[in-house]
Structures are given as structure tokens and as C-alpha cells.
Short mmCIF file of all heavy atoms in Angstrom, two decimals:
data_model
loop_
_atom_site.label_atom_id
_atom_site.label_comp_id
_atom_site.label_asym_id
_atom_site.label_seq_id
_atom_site.Cartn_x
_atom_site.Cartn_y
_atom_site.Cartn_z
N ALA Q 127 0.79 -1.22 -0.02
CA ALA Q 127 0.05 0.06 -0.01
C ALA Q 127 0.87 1.23 0.02
O ALA Q 127 0.53 2.20 -0.63
CB ALA Q 127 -0.88 -0.03 1.22
N LEU Q 128 1.98 1.24 0.69
CA LEU Q 128 2.89 2.38 0.74
C LEU Q 128 3.49 2.59 -0.65
O LEU Q 128 3.69 3.74 -1.08
CB LEU Q 128 4.01 2.21 1.76
CG LEU Q 128 3.49 2.34 3.19
CD1 LEU Q 128 4.57 1.82 4.20
CD2 LEU Q 128 3.22 3.80 3.54
N HIS Q 129 3.84 1.55 -1.38
CA HIS Q 129 4.33 1.70 -2.72
C HIS Q 129 3.25 2.25 -3.69
O HIS Q 129 3.45 3.07 -4.48
CB HIS Q 129 4.78 0.35 -3.28
CG HIS Q 129 6.07 -0.06 -2.76
ND1 HIS Q 129 7.28 0.62 -3.05
CD2 HIS Q 129 6.49 -1.26 -2.14
CE1 HIS Q 129 8.24 -0.03 -2.49
NE2 HIS Q 129 7.88 -1.09 -1.83
N ALA Q 130 1.98 1.75 -3.44
CA ALA Q 130 0.86 2.27 -4.27
C ALA Q 130 0.50 3.66 -4.01
O ALA Q 130 0.07 4.36 -4.86
CB ALA Q 130 -0.33 1.35 -4.03
N ASP Q 131 0.78 4.10 -2.87
CA ASP Q 131 0.33 5.39 -2.42
C ASP Q 131 1.32 6.52 -2.95
O ASP Q 131 1.04 7.72 -2.96
CB ASP Q 131 0.29 5.55 -0.86
CG ASP Q 131 -0.28 6.84 -0.41
OD1 ASP Q 131 -1.34 7.21 -0.85
OD2 ASP Q 131 0.41 7.48 0.51
N ALA Q 132 2.58 6.14 -3.17
CA ALA Q 132 3.56 7.04 -3.66
C ALA Q 132 3.34 7.59 -5.05
O ALA Q 132 3.33 6.76 -6.04
CB ALA Q 132 4.96 6.48 -3.55
N PRO Q 133 3.23 8.86 -5.31
CA PRO Q 133 2.99 9.38 -6.65
C PRO Q 133 4.16 9.06 -7.58
O PRO Q 133 4.01 8.85 -8.82
CB PRO Q 133 2.83 10.89 -6.47
CG PRO Q 133 2.42 11.13 -5.07
CD PRO Q 133 3.22 9.99 -4.35
N THR Q 134 5.46 9.00 -7.05
CA THR Q 134 6.63 8.66 -7.87
C THR Q 134 7.45 7.80 -6.97
O THR Q 134 7.30 7.75 -5.78
CB THR Q 134 7.39 9.89 -8.19
OG1 THR Q 134 7.88 10.55 -7.06
CG2 THR Q 134 6.59 10.93 -8.96
N ALA Q 135 8.46 7.14 -7.54
CA ALA Q 135 9.27 6.23 -6.88
C ALA Q 135 10.04 7.03 -5.79
O ALA Q 135 10.41 6.53 -4.69
CB ALA Q 135 10.22 5.56 -7.86
N GLU Q 136 10.49 8.27 -6.23
CA GLU Q 136 11.32 9.08 -5.25
C GLU Q 136 10.52 9.56 -4.04
O GLU Q 136 11.15 9.79 -3.01
CB GLU Q 136 11.78 10.35 -6.05
CG GLU Q 136 12.77 10.04 -7.23
CD GLU Q 136 12.11 9.45 -8.38
OE1 GLU Q 136 10.87 9.60 -8.58
OE2 GLU Q 136 12.82 8.68 -9.15
N GLU Q 137 9.28 9.53 -4.21
CA GLU Q 137 8.34 9.99 -2.98
C GLU Q 137 7.93 8.83 -2.15
O GLU Q 137 7.07 9.00 -1.21
CB GLU Q 137 7.14 10.80 -3.57
CG GLU Q 137 7.50 11.97 -4.29
CD GLU Q 137 6.23 12.59 -4.83
OE1 GLU Q 137 5.63 13.40 -4.17
OE2 GLU Q 137 6.00 12.34 -6.06
N THR Q 138 8.46 7.61 -2.39
CA THR Q 138 8.09 6.40 -1.54
C THR Q 138 8.53 6.62 -0.06
O THR Q 138 9.61 7.10 0.13
CB THR Q 138 8.77 5.20 -2.13
OG1 THR Q 138 8.33 5.07 -3.45
CG2 THR Q 138 8.35 3.95 -1.30
N ASP Q 139 7.72 6.34 0.84
CA ASP Q 139 7.99 6.45 2.28
C ASP Q 139 8.86 5.19 2.72
O ASP Q 139 8.34 4.26 3.37
CB ASP Q 139 6.69 6.55 3.01
CG ASP Q 139 7.01 6.99 4.54
OD1 ASP Q 139 8.11 6.81 5.00
OD2 ASP Q 139 6.05 7.24 5.23
N TRP Q 140 10.14 5.24 2.44
CA TRP Q 140 11.01 4.13 2.75
C TRP Q 140 11.17 3.87 4.23
O TRP Q 140 11.38 2.76 4.63
CB TRP Q 140 12.34 4.28 1.99
CG TRP Q 140 12.20 4.07 0.52
CD1 TRP Q 140 12.32 4.96 -0.37
CD2 TRP Q 140 12.05 2.76 -0.13
NE1 TRP Q 140 12.13 4.41 -1.66
CE2 TRP Q 140 12.01 3.00 -1.55
CE3 TRP Q 140 11.87 1.44 0.30
CZ2 TRP Q 140 11.76 2.01 -2.45
CZ3 TRP Q 140 11.77 0.45 -0.58
CH2 TRP Q 140 11.69 0.72 -1.96
N VAL Q 141 11.22 5.00 4.99
CA VAL Q 141 11.35 4.80 6.40
C VAL Q 141 10.24 3.93 6.99
O VAL Q 141 10.45 2.94 7.84
CB VAL Q 141 11.40 6.19 7.11
CG1 VAL Q 141 11.35 5.99 8.64
CG2 VAL Q 141 12.70 6.90 6.69
N GLN Q 142 8.99 4.20 6.68
CA GLN Q 142 7.90 3.43 7.12
C GLN Q 142 7.89 2.08 6.51
O GLN Q 142 7.48 1.02 7.24
CB GLN Q 142 6.52 4.18 6.74
CG GLN Q 142 5.32 3.56 7.51
CD GLN Q 142 4.12 4.37 7.32
OE1 GLN Q 142 3.01 3.85 7.62
NE2 GLN Q 142 4.18 5.62 6.71
N ILE Q 143 8.37 1.80 5.34
CA ILE Q 143 8.46 0.53 4.77
C ILE Q 143 9.47 -0.29 5.61
O ILE Q 143 9.29 -1.54 5.85
CB ILE Q 143 8.90 0.60 3.29
CG1 ILE Q 143 7.70 1.07 2.47
CG2 ILE Q 143 9.36 -0.69 2.80
CD1 ILE Q 143 8.00 1.26 0.99
N VAL Q 144 10.55 0.27 5.95
CA VAL Q 144 11.52 -0.47 6.86
C VAL Q 144 10.86 -0.86 8.12
O VAL Q 144 11.07 -2.01 8.61
CB VAL Q 144 12.82 0.36 7.09
CG1 VAL Q 144 13.70 -0.26 8.15
CG2 VAL Q 144 13.62 0.62 5.80
N GLU Q 145 10.05 -0.02 8.70
CA GLU Q 145 9.39 -0.44 9.90
C GLU Q 145 8.40 -1.54 9.79
O GLU Q 145 8.29 -2.42 10.64
CB GLU Q 145 8.58 0.81 10.46
CG GLU Q 145 9.48 1.98 10.88
CD GLU Q 145 8.70 3.28 11.25
OE1 GLU Q 145 7.45 3.31 11.06
OE2 GLU Q 145 9.33 4.25 11.72
N TRP Q 146 7.80 -1.63 8.64
CA TRP Q 146 6.93 -2.72 8.30
C TRP Q 146 7.75 -4.08 8.12
O TRP Q 146 7.26 -5.03 8.47
CB TRP Q 146 5.95 -2.47 7.13
CG TRP Q 146 4.72 -1.69 7.53
CD1 TRP Q 146 4.43 -0.38 7.20
CD2 TRP Q 146 3.75 -2.07 8.30
NE1 TRP Q 146 3.26 0.01 7.76
CE2 TRP Q 146 2.76 -1.06 8.38
CE3 TRP Q 146 3.41 -3.29 8.97
CZ2 TRP Q 146 1.58 -1.14 9.21
CZ3 TRP Q 146 2.19 -3.48 9.66
CH2 TRP Q 146 1.36 -2.30 9.83
N TYR Q 147 8.85 -3.85 7.45
CA TYR Q 147 9.73 -5.08 7.25
C TYR Q 147 10.20 -5.56 8.61
O TYR Q 147 10.42 -6.79 8.78
CB TYR Q 147 10.91 -4.70 6.32
CG TYR Q 147 10.64 -4.90 4.88
CD1 TYR Q 147 10.70 -3.96 3.96
CD2 TYR Q 147 10.19 -6.31 4.44
CE1 TYR Q 147 10.39 -4.20 2.57
CE2 TYR Q 147 9.88 -6.44 3.16
CZ TYR Q 147 10.02 -5.43 2.19
OH TYR Q 147 9.71 -5.68 0.86
N ASP Q 148 10.47 -4.59 9.50
CA ASP Q 148 10.87 -5.08 10.89
C ASP Q 148 9.76 -5.86 11.52
O ASP Q 148 10.00 -6.92 12.19
CB ASP Q 148 11.15 -3.82 11.80
CG ASP Q 148 12.54 -3.16 11.46
OD1 ASP Q 148 13.30 -3.78 10.73
OD2 ASP Q 148 12.69 -1.98 11.69
N GLU Q 149 8.44 -5.51 11.31
CA GLU Q 149 7.41 -6.29 11.80
C GLU Q 149 7.29 -7.69 11.14
O GLU Q 149 7.04 -8.71 11.78
CB GLU Q 149 6.02 -5.58 11.49
CG GLU Q 149 5.83 -4.36 12.37
CD GLU Q 149 5.54 -4.59 13.82
OE1 GLU Q 149 5.35 -5.86 14.14
OE2 GLU Q 149 5.57 -3.70 14.63
N LEU Q 150 7.63 -7.68 9.85
CA LEU Q 150 7.58 -8.97 9.12
C LEU Q 150 8.72 -9.85 9.56
O LEU Q 150 8.50 -11.10 9.70
CB LEU Q 150 7.87 -8.66 7.56
CG LEU Q 150 6.48 -8.63 6.75
CD1 LEU Q 150 6.90 -8.35 5.26
CD2 LEU Q 150 5.73 -10.00 6.84
N VAL Q 151 9.82 -9.32 9.82
CA VAL Q 151 11.00 -10.16 10.39
C VAL Q 151 10.55 -10.71 11.74
O VAL Q 151 10.82 -11.92 12.02
CB VAL Q 151 12.24 -9.32 10.59
CG1 VAL Q 151 13.32 -10.07 11.32
CG2 VAL Q 151 12.77 -8.97 9.23
N ARG Q 152 9.94 -9.94 12.58
CA ARG Q 152 9.49 -10.38 13.89
C ARG Q 152 8.49 -11.52 13.71
O ARG Q 152 8.40 -12.54 14.47
CB ARG Q 152 8.91 -9.27 14.67
CG ARG Q 152 8.38 -9.69 16.00
CD ARG Q 152 7.76 -8.48 16.74
NE ARG Q 152 6.59 -7.87 16.01
CZ ARG Q 152 5.32 -8.42 16.10
NH1 ARG Q 152 5.18 -9.61 16.85
NH2 ARG Q 152 4.33 -8.01 15.43
N LEU Q 153 7.52 -11.48 12.70
CA LEU Q 153 6.50 -12.37 12.46
C LEU Q 153 7.10 -13.70 11.81
O LEU Q 153 6.49 -14.81 12.10
CB LEU Q 153 5.42 -11.85 11.72
CG LEU Q 153 4.54 -10.72 12.26
CD1 LEU Q 153 3.67 -9.95 11.28
CD2 LEU Q 153 3.66 -11.41 13.38
#
């Protein structure tokens, strides 16, 4: 959803994506 929400690749919220990956690693 964060990728889909970004108007351009440069505007992707990578910090929040890392946080979600941290959750995935935990799970």
C-alpha cells in the first residue's frame, strides 16, 4: 500500500516501509 500510495518512486516512504519489514521479520 505504501508503494501504491507514492506518486513517484522518489516519494516512496521508505522509512515506514523499513518499519513494516521489521514487523515482518518479527513475524
Side-chain angles (χ1 to χ4, degrees):
L128 287 167
H129 283 298
D131 187 55
T134 65
E136 294 72 24
E137 296 174 86
T138 303
D139 188 347
W140 287 106
V141 172
Q142 194 172 168
I143 286 176
V144 170
E145 292 174 355
W146 278 112
Y147 271 121
D148 289 340
E149 291 288 349
L150 263 179
V151 168
R152 181 181 62 80
L153 290 165

